[in-house]
Amino acid sequence: CAVQLQKSDYAKYDLFVGMDGANIRNMLRIFGGDSAGKYTRHIRRSERGNRRVLADCTNDEMLSILRILEEVKKAIRHN
């Protein structure tokens, strides 16, 4: 479930994953920069031309990561 980022979220989290350049630009706008280097990009441009490719993990791996993060979020809420 996606939520709207708030400026105060920057201090709360260690990592922000943007799907593409537009996501990163919007995060930079909301947070006013990235002084701690907390951004990573899930999709990047290929070094061969302008094709977009997944960075670092496949869709299945990303879905697994999201499931784990949901479990962590539930555990945190119950503590």
Side-chain angles (χ1 to χ4, degrees):
C1 166
V3 296
Q4 175 108 25
L5 286 176
Q6 303 294 318
K7 187 171 181 126
S8 60
D9 290 335
Y10 192 81
K12 294 178 189 175
Y13 301 99
D14 296 324
L15 179 66
F16 297 93
V17 179
M19 293 303 293
D20 57 23
N23 282 148
I24 299 295
R25 283 189 299 279
N26 287 330
M27 285 189 264
L28 289 170
R29 181 183 50 77
I30 290 167
F31 296 135
D34 183 23
S35 60
K38 294 182 176 187
Y39 296 98
T40 188
R41 194 167 164 180
H42 182 59
I43 296 176
R44 63 174 169 76
R45 295 281 175 192
S46 163
E47 277 138 32
R48 290 190 208 172
N50 239 356
R51 294 175 41 197
R52 292 189 323 170
V53 296
L54 293 177
D56 301 327
C57 62
T58 65
N59 283 337
D60 288 339
E61 289 170 329
M62 186 54 133
L63 289 173
S64 294
I65 292 167
L66 291 174
R67 282 188 209 105
I68 291 167
L69 291 173
E70 277 299 314
E71 292 301 317
V72 168
K73 191 165 68 171
K74 287 177 191 174
I76 290 170
R77 277 192 217 137
H78 288 92
N79 286 330

